[in-house]
């Protein structure tokens, strides 16, 4: 019969389970992998595989009792670190989603919504289009590999057992306003163009009160809005590169990575 001492169990908990909680928390909360499109079992298997690959390169882990209060505190801390890293990536993706929702409301497509399979809620189709576009760009430019690199480096810059500093929470809280600023930067040309169109319809209404502006203005605003969005797609790659650079740099700041 195999007998395991408390020291051996504590060593296994520290060397495998504690990193696994951080990795699993990131995979459960990050975009693309952490959505409902990826089954929970697949995410768990992926977390186990990444943990097995990283184990030989990880620094020394603290020896803890598997059933002690300190081990529970360390597990909660690792889960919190992983969730914070994943949530910082969610901010980047939701900037494009918010941008699509803003331009949808301005062009009259706010009523045209569909179920977002990643979040399970209804969003305007333009926002869903922007979200699918940024997902494909993120994968095509190996953004997920950068995230895994930062995750591996976080075990050196944020060792297991080291408490999170207050500036991590403050940095994450201040970054929430970045989402709205980035979304406005994405759709500001479209909003400005649609505002000019609406002002033109207002002048037409004052010049010809008998003109039914609702029957004419709505379809024209819709068609012009789609044309403006189509024209704006020519510059979407440059805007994506700027925003993804800021988002990944923020992720490195959260993990104190280089």
């Amino acid at each position: 019969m195999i007998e395991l001492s408390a020291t051996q169990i504590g060593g296994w908990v520290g060397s495998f389970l504690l990193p696994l909680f951080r990795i699993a928390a990131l995979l459960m909360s990050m975009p693309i992998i952490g959505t409902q499109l990826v089954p929970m079992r697949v995410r768990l298997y992926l977390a186990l595989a990444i943990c097995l690959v990283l184990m030989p390169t990880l620094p020394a882990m603290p020896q803890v009792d598997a059933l002690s209060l300190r081990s529970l505190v360390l597990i909660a801390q690792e889960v919190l670190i992983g969730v914070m890293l994943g949530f910082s990536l969610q901010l980047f993706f939701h900037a494009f989603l918010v941008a699509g929702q803003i331009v949808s409301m301005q062009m009259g497509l706010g009523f045209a919504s569909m179920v977002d399979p990643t979040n399970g809620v209804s969003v305007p189709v333009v926002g869903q289009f922007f979200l699918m576009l940024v997902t494909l760009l993120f994968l095509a430019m190996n953004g997920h590999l950068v995230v895994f690199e930062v995750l591996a480096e976080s075990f050196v810059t944020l060792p297991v057992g080291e408490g999170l500093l207050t500036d991590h929470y403050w940095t994450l809280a201040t970054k929430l306003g970045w989402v709205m600023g980035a979304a406005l930067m994405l759709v500001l040309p479209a909003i400005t163009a649609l505002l000019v169109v609406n002002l033109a319809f207002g002048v037409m209404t004052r010049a010809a009160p008998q003109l039914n502006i609702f029957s004419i203005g709505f379809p024209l605003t819709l068609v012009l809005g789609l044309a403006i969005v189509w024209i704006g797609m020519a510059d979407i790659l440059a805007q994506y590169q700027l925003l993804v650079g800021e988002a990944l740099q923020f992720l490195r700041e959260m993990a104190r990575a280089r």
Side-chain angles (χ1 to χ4, degrees):
M1 183 177 180
I2 300 176
E3 294 184 0
L4 299 176
S5 63
T7 304
Q8 291 175 321
I9 297 177
W12 290 348
V13 170
S15 62
F16 184 77
L17 286 183
L18 292 179
L20 177 62
F21 277 105
R22 181 184 300 191
I23 296 171
L26 173 63
L27 294 182
M28 298 295 176
S29 59
M30 71 177 291
I32 304 174
I33 299 177
T35 60
Q36 298 180 5
L37 298 177
V38 181
M40 188 74 68
R41 187 175 300 175
V42 174
R43 283 179 269 174
L44 179 58
Y45 290 157
L46 183 59
L48 290 171
I50 295 175
C51 187
L52 289 175
V53 172
L54 291 180
M55 274 186 62
T57 63
L58 296 181
M61 297 293 168
Q63 296 289 332
V64 294
D65 186 2
L67 300 178
S68 64
L69 179 61
R70 182 168 180 263
S71 66
L72 297 179
V73 173
L74 290 178
I75 289 173
Q77 177 179 300
E78 294 305 302
V79 171
L80 181 60
I81 292 175
V83 169
M84 289 178 67
L85 294 178
F87 184 70
S88 63
L89 283 175
Q90 290 280 4
L91 295 179
F92 165 67
F93 278 76
H94 278 76
F96 285 83
L97 184 60
V98 172
Q101 292 176 344
I102 292 175
V103 74
S104 294
M105 297 300 296
Q106 292 295 320
M107 63 190 292
L109 269 181
F111 67 91
S113 61
M114 62 178 295
V115 177
D116 182 7
T118 60
N119 299 314
V121 296
S122 296
V123 297
V125 290
V126 179
Q128 185 66 17
F129 171 73
F130 280 3
L131 183 60
M132 291 188 294
L133 179 63
V134 71
T135 300
L136 294 176
L137 289 175
F138 190 78
L139 294 175
M141 297 185 178
N142 294 328
H144 57 292
L145 300 181
V146 178
V147 174
F148 293 150
E149 178 186 357
V150 174
L151 174 64
E153 197 170 348
S154 69
F155 287 101
V156 179
T157 57
L158 286 175
V160 176
E162 179 181 331
L164 286 173
L165 300 179
T166 308
D167 57 357
H168 284 80
Y169 305 103
W170 175 250
T171 304
L172 185 59
T174 55
K175 203 64 176 180
L176 293 175
W178 175 86
V179 177
M180 186 58 66
L184 289 176
M185 186 182 69
L186 284 170
V187 297
L188 187 59
I191 292 177
T192 305
L194 290 172
L195 178 61
V196 173
V197 172
N198 291 326
L199 289 176
F201 286 143
V203 173
M204 291 171 58
T205 305
R206 295 290 296 177
Q210 69 276 11
L211 185 65
N212 190 353
I213 196 63
F214 292 102
S215 61
I216 299 176
F218 180 75
L220 282 179
T221 304
L222 185 60
V223 173
L224 290 175
L226 291 175
I228 291 169
V229 171
W230 175 62
I231 295 172
M233 287 295 104
D235 194 45
I236 193 65
L237 182 59
Q239 294 176 335
Y240 168 81
Q241 290 175 339
L242 176 63
L243 294 179
V244 76
E246 294 181 5
L248 293 178
Q249 181 60 34
F250 172 64
L251 182 66
R252 291 184 179 274
E253 292 175 1
M254 290 289 297
R256 299 183 189 172
R258 294 188 299 272

